[in-house]
C-alpha cells in the first residue's frame, strides 16, 4: 500500500500523511491503533464508531476489555488471535465476534499488523462486519442441504411406484387368461401411476407458482360446496389409515372469490398432510367458520404434532417433519408450500399451530369474505365427473400418437367404452385415415416427430367437414401458454398426459350428446 500512497502523493501533491489521514477517516471499516504494551486505544476512526456504536472520546486511553467489545463466549478465540499476532506479528481475515454498544454481537473479520513507531510497538487493526455475509452463506448451505435431501427423497418416491408397476407388468404377461389376477394387477398399476402423476403435478405446480405463472380463474364460490371434492381426493388415504374425518361446514354460505380447482387443491393438500402425519385410527376435523371480514378453513388432527423449531418452517419448500425409518408418510414436502403460495395468490393467509411433538396440529387458511346479497345456504353441487357416462351413441375417433404403448392402451380404453377408434402413429398415416373419412373426434399428440399436433389440427380444420370435427390435444406440457397455443391452432380441448380418464369420458359424453 505504501507504493500506491507514494504514487498518489506525487499525483495529487498531497503529503503522504494527509493521504493516510483521509484513508483513515473515509474507510467504512473499523480502523484502530492501540499500544501493544498496555492494549490501550490510541485512536479509532469513524468506521469504528459506526460499526460498534462507541464514541471515540469514550474509547481513547482504554483497553478493549474496559470498553467491553469482547463477548464472553469467544475467550478462546480471542486468546488464539493474540497468540497468532505475537508469533507472526500479522493476521489476515481472522474470524471472530465483537459486542456493540447496544449489546448486539456481530460477526467480524480482522486484519492486523504490529509495527514500530518511534520505538513503541503499535497494533493497527482493520475490522469489517461480515454478519450478513455469513448469514447469507449459512442460508445457502442450508438450502443446498435441503436440495440434496429433496433430490434423494424424489428418487426414493419415484422408485417406489416404479417397482410395483414393473412387477405387475411382468405378472400380467404371465396371466392373460386369469381375469381376477389381471384385474388385481391392473388396479395396482392404476394406483401407482396415480401416485406418480401426483408427484409430477406437485413439482410442476411448485415451479409455476414460484415463478408467478399460475393464472387464477376466480368466481364467487361457497367454500362449503368444495369440501366434498377435496374429501373424495383424499378418501383412499383416509380409509387406508382408518382415520375418522369429521366435516363441519359453516351454517351460512362461506362466500369467497376464488379459483375452484385451486381451492380444492388447498383443502385436499391440508387433509393429505393431516392424514400422513396422524397415526392409524386418528381423528381429523375439517371446519369452516365465518368472521365479519374473512372465511376460515381449519384442519385439525391428533397426529405427531410439530416441534417448535420446525413450526416456522413447515410452509417452506422441501421441509418435512421427522420421518420414521420406513418413510411411511411419503410425499416430497411440497404440499404445504403449495397451500401457502396458492392461499396468498387468493389474498389470504395460512398459519400452523401445535402444542408440540405428539400433540397434534392445526392448519388454518383465512380468505377474504365475499358479501353477496340474497345468497342462501345451498346444497352440495353434484360431482359431474363421478356421474359421467358414455352416451349410447359411439363416436368415430382418430387417435394419433407416436408412442405406441400410450396410443394402444388409450385406444383399448376408448373401445371398451363403446367407441370406434382408429389408431395411427405418424402424420402420413393420420392424413391417409382422414382421406378415408372424417372422424367425429380427433385426439392428437402434440409432440409428433415429423409434423406437430398443432399443424395437424390446422390441416383438419382446412379439410371438408373438418370444422365439425371435435379436436382434443394431448401433451406432456402443462403450461397455460401450451393450452392457449393449442386452442389457437383449432383444438377444442387440451389434456395434459396422462389424461384423467373420468374427465375424458365426461367430455366425450358431452360431444356425443
Amino acid at each position: 500500500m505504501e507504493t500506491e500512497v507514494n504514487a498518489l502523493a506525487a499525483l495529487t501533491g498531497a503529503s503522504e500523511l494527509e493521504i493516510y489521514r483521509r484513508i483513515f477517516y473515509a474507510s467504512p471499516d473499523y480502523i484502530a491503533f492501540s499500544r501493544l504494551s498496555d492494549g490501550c486505544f490510541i485512536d479509532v476512526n469513524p468506521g469504528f464508531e459506526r460499526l460498534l456504536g462507541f464514541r471515540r472520546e469514550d474509547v481513547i486511553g482504554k483497553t478493549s476489555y474496559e470498553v467491553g467489545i469482547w463477548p464472553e463466549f469467544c475467550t478462546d478465540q480471542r486468546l488464539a488471535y493474540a497468540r497468532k499476532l505475537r508469533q507472526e506479528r500479522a493476521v489476515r481475515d481472522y474470524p471472530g465476534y465483537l459486542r456493540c454498544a447496544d449489546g448486539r454481537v456481530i460477526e467480524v473479520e480482522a486484519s492486523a499488523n504490529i509495527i514500530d513507531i518511534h520505538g513503541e510497538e503499535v497494533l493497527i487493526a482493520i475490522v469489517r462486519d461480515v454478519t450478513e455475509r455469513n448469514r447469507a452463506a449459512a442460508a445457502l448451505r442450508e438450502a443446498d442441504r435441503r436440495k440434496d435431501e429433496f433430490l434423494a427423497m424424489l428418487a426414493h418416491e419415484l422408485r417406489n411406484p416404479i417397482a410395483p408397476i414393473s412387477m405387475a407388468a411382468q405378472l400380467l404377461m404371465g396371466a392373460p387368461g386369469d381375469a381376477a389376477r389381471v384385474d388385481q394387477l391392473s388396479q395396482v398399476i392404476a394406483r401407482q401411476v396415480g401416485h406418480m402423476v401426483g408427484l409430477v403435478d406437485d413439482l410442476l405446480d411448485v415451479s409455476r407458482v414460484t415463478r408467478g405463472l399460475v393464472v387464477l380463474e376466480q368466481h364467487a364460490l361457497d367454500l362449503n360446496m368444495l369440501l366434498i371434492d377435496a374429501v373424495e381426493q383424499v378418501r383412499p388415504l383416509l380409509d387406508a389409515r382408518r382415520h375418522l374425518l369429521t366435516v363441519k361446514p359453516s351454517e351460512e354460505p362461506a362466500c369467497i372469490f376464488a379459483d375452484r380447482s385451486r381451492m380444492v387443491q388447498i383443502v385436499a393438500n391440508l387433509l393429505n398432510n393431516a392424514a400422513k402425519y396422524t397415526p392409524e385410527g386418528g381423528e381429523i376435523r375439517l371446519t369452516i367458520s365465518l368472521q365479519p371480514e374473512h372465511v376460515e378453513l381449519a384442519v385439525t388432527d391428533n397426529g405427531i404434532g410439530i416441534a417448535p423449531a420446525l413450526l416456522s418452517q413447515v410452509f417452506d419448500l422441501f421441509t418435512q417433519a421427522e420421518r420414521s425409518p420406513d418413510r411411511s408418510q411419503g410425499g416430497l414436502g411440497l404440499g404445504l408450500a403449495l397451500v401457502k403460495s396458492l392461499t396468498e395468490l387468493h389474498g389470504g393467509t395460512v398459519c400452523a399451530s401445535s402444542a408440540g411433538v405428539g400433540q397434534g396440529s392445526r392448519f388454518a387458511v383465512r380468505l377474504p369474505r365475499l358479501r353477496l346479497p340474497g345468497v342462501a345456504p345451498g346444497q352440495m353441487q353434484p360431482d359431474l365427473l363421478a356421474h359421467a357416462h358414455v352416451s349410447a351413441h359411439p363416436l368415430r375417433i382418430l387417435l394419433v400418437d407416436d408412442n405406441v404403448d400410450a396410443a394402444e392402451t388409450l385406444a383399448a380404453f376408448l373401445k371398451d367404452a363403446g367407441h370406434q377408434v382408429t389408431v395411427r402413429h405418424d402424420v402420413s398415416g393420420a392424413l391417409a385415415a382422414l382421406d378415408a373419412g372424417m372422424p367425429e373426434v380427433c385426439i392428437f399428440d402434440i409432440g409428433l416427430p415429423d409434423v406437430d399436433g398443432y399443424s395437424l389440427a390446422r390441416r383438419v380444420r382446412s379439410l371438408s367437414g373438418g370444422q365439425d370435427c371435435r379436436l382434443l390435444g394431448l401433451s406432456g406440457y402443462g403450461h397455460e401458454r401450451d393450452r392457449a397455443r393449442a386452442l389457437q391452432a383449432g383444438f377444442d380441448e387440451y389434456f395434459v398426459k396422462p389424461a384423467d380418464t373420468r374427465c375424458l369420458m365426461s367430455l366425450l359424453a358431452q360431444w356425443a350428446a
Side-chain angles (χ1 to χ4, degrees), residues 280-313:
E280 287 195 14
E283 296 182 6
I284 300 172
R285 297 192 304 277
L286 170 60
T287 61
I288 295 179
S289 57
L290 302 179
Q291 300 296 329
E293 301 300 326
H294 65 261
V295 172
E296 181 180 275
L297 179 142
V299 174
T300 308
D301 63 66
N302 63 346
I304 66 173
I306 305 171
L310 190 63
L311 199 56
S312 63
Q313 305 171 27

Side-chain angles (χ1 to χ4, degrees), residues 260-276:
R260 189 180 195 283
S261 63
R262 293 300 185 179
M263 286 309 307
V264 170
Q265 185 178 8
I266 287 172
V267 181
N269 279 4
L270 289 175
L271 289 173
N272 186 67
N273 181 76
K276 285 194 301 183

Side-chain angles (χ1 to χ4, degrees), residues 48-309:
F48 179 100
E49 296 179 303
R50 287 192 297 270
L51 183 65
L52 299 182
F54 293 101
R55 296 186 304 171
R56 177 176 178 274
E57 55 266 32
D58 295 333
V59 170
I60 303 303
K62 294 181 180 178
T63 67
S64 57
Y65 310 108
E66 291 173 322
V67 174
I69 66 174
W70 292 104
E72 296 79 4
F73 64 85
C74 63
T75 301
D76 292 343
Q77 192 173 37
R78 175 179 57 78
L79 293 175
Y81 169 75
R83 283 194 301 269
K84 184 176 178 66
L85 259 177
R86 291 188 177 278
Q87 291 169 2
E88 303 178 13
R89 299 184 66 83
V91 296
R92 293 287 181 272
D93 300 327
Y94 198 90
Y97 297 87
L98 291 179
R99 188 184 303 282
C100 301
D102 60 7
R104 290 181 300 113
V105 174
I106 59 173
E107 294 183 69
V108 297
E109 281 183 353
S111 295
N113 288 74
I114 297 175
I115 63 173
D116 185 280
I117 299 179
H118 301 306
E120 183 165 10
E121 290 188 321
V122 175
L123 174 66
I124 303 175
I126 301 176
V127 179
R128 65 183 46 182
D129 184 357
V130 294
T131 305
E132 291 303 320
R133 188 191 73 186
N134 289 354
R135 184 176 293 134
L140 284 175
R141 288 193 297 271
E142 174 63 14
D144 192 57
R145 182 191 66 79
R146 285 168 52 194
K147 177 206 68 178
D148 289 343
E149 287 185 356
F150 168 73
L151 290 176
M153 196 187 308
L154 174 61
H156 177 277
E157 293 297 333
L158 289 177
R159 288 191 193 104
N160 273 348
I162 288 173
I165 289 172
S166 175
M167 185 61 68
Q170 295 179 52
L171 292 172
L172 280 173
M173 289 187 287
D178 188 341
R181 184 74 161 160
V182 169
D183 181 64
Q184 177 195 14
L185 295 172
S186 298
Q187 290 182 37
V188 168
I189 292 175
R191 283 196 301 271
Q192 298 304 322
V193 168
H195 178 58
M196 290 186 71
V197 169
L199 293 177
V200 173
D201 283 347
D202 277 353
L203 285 169
L204 293 176
D205 270 344
V206 165
S207 175
R208 286 191 288 261
V209 170
T210 54
R211 289 184 294 153
L213 301 180
V214 169
V215 178
L216 300 180
E217 296 182 6
Q218 293 179 275
H219 306 279
L221 302 171
D222 181 355
L223 187 54
N224 296 298
M225 300 296 106
L226 311 182
L227 300 187
I228 189 171
D229 290 346
V231 171
E232 282 185 355
Q233 289 187 19
V234 188
R235 177 57 66 186
L237 179 59
L238 294 169
D239 291 344
R241 297 180 67 83
R242 299 183 294 106
H243 291 320
L244 173 63
L245 173 65
T246 303
V247 179
K248 184 180 179 182
S250 59
E251 295 181 359
E252 299 178 25
C255 295
I256 57 175
F257 190 64
D259 183 311
R260 189 180 195 283
S261 63
R262 293 300 185 179
M263 286 309 307
V264 170
Q265 185 178 8
I266 287 172
V267 181
N269 279 4
L270 289 175
L271 289 173
N272 186 67
N273 181 76
K276 285 194 301 183
Y277 292 107
T278 299
E280 287 195 14
E283 296 182 6
I284 300 172
R285 297 192 304 277
L286 170 60
T287 61
I288 295 179
S289 57
L290 302 179
Q291 300 296 329
E293 301 300 326
H294 65 261
V295 172
E296 181 180 275
L297 179 142
V299 174
T300 308
D301 63 66
N302 63 346
I304 66 173
I306 305 171

Side-chain angles (χ1 to χ4, degrees), residues 382-394:
D383 183 358
L384 297 179
L385 296 182
H387 300 292
H389 64 279
V390 178
S391 169
H393 166 55

Side-chain angles (χ1 to χ4, degrees), residues 469-489:
C469 180
R470 296 285 195 170
L471 299 185
L472 170 62
L474 288 177
S475 173
Y477 294 100
H479 195 280
E480 188 61 31
R481 64 170 172 265
D482 299 308
R483 175 180 175 82
R485 185 180 177 190
L487 298 180
Q488 289 175 353

